[in-house]
Amino acid sequence: TYESGNHANPTSVIGVANSRNIAVYPAGIPSELLKKLASKEITIDELSAELSGGIVEIQNGSRTQLSDTVNELGLNGEVVYVDATAVKEADFHTHIIRNTNNRIVTANKNPISLHDYDTYYDLTQNPRRYGYSATVGAGLGIVPWLHERFAMGDQVENMDASLSGTMGYIMTELSNGVPLSQTIEVAVQE
């Protein structure tokens, strides 16, 4: 657990990853090592030297291998993956949602915005398993409200809003008559 002020955080970080390596430590990575990782005093590659045995390293491994390792350790359904990357692929996200009982919290908009409707639906149909409220637009209070309306069969006929960032750009371009496909293409490139 990580101590913050007077209250202990019951979260146990059991794995960390970068673009090259993944390290899983089922006993939980001690908070002092997490602080060193966060401040870049040590790297993931150096983590195993700091821990005494029990670490599972997946060098040049895929995120799917990470999921499989977690399941082999008997932790299926007990893990929440946190994705703060900007990878465009949705493979890891869909693998977790379709093949495990684990959860994902992400600030990465790409898995739900750059793929087909089936992928979007698979990922977002259970908000307790796939938390995407930190992605573009999803943090707006209107998104859960719209989900509820659609689930009840209501039809939204009109909305007025003041939007910023990517959503503001897209809506401005649409109101100027630019086709959605062209607007999205430019937004993705930017």
Side-chain angles (χ1 to χ4, degrees):
T1 61
Y2 177 72
E3 298 285 334
S4 177
N6 296 326
H7 303 285
N9 178 345
T11 304
S12 180
V13 176
I14 65 162
V16 290
N18 61 24
S19 60
R20 294 176 312 281
N21 296 320
I22 302 166
V24 179
Y25 191 65
I29 301 170
S31 60
E32 62 273 4
L33 290 179
L34 291 173
K35 289 177 187 176
K36 285 183 176 183
L37 279 168
S39 66
K40 299 183 180 178
E41 292 176 46
I42 63 170
T43 65
I44 292 173
D45 303 334
E46 299 165 334
L47 184 63
S48 60
E50 296 280 337
L51 296 167
S52 58
I55 193 162
V56 178
E57 291 184 76
I58 307 170
Q59 294 187 349
N60 298 315
S62 72
R63 301 303 182 255
T64 303
Q65 285 177 294
L66 168 63
S67 168
D68 293 343
T69 300
V70 165
N71 289 341
E72 289 167 12
L73 293 168
L75 298 171
N76 188 21
E78 298 185 31
V79 173
V80 177
Y81 295 94
V82 178
D83 176 13
T85 70
V87 297
K88 290 184 169 47
E89 299 81 21
D91 300 350
F92 177 68
H93 291 228
T94 56
H95 175 78
I96 295 301
I97 297 303
R98 293 174 181 159
N99 302 309
T100 77
N101 294 317
N102 293 314
R103 298 165 199 79
I104 297 178
V105 175
T106 186
N108 184 355
K109 65 186 174 188
N110 294 328
I112 58 174
S113 64
L114 297 180
H115 298 278
D116 61 17
Y117 179 77
D118 289 338
T119 300
Y120 172 83
Y121 181 79
D122 284 351
L123 292 175
T124 62
Q125 71 178 336
N126 186 344
R128 289 191 172 117
R129 292 203 50 225
Y130 193 77
Y132 60 98
S133 64
T135 64
V136 65
L140 302 172
I142 192 70
V143 174
W145 184 85
L146 282 171
H147 278 253
E148 290 170 5
R149 302 290 83 72
F150 294 144
M152 292 186 294
D154 290 349
Q155 185 175 356
V156 177
E157 294 180 14
N158 186 32
M159 286 179 35
D160 292 317
S162 174
L163 304 169
S164 62
T166 306
M167 292 295 288
Y169 169 78
I170 290 171
M171 295 303 163
T172 300
E173 293 299 293
L174 291 175
S175 67
N176 290 334
V178 178
L180 178 62
S181 59
Q182 184 180 340
T183 301
I184 297 289
E185 187 176 317
V186 171
V188 168
Q189 290 173 357
E190 297 296 317

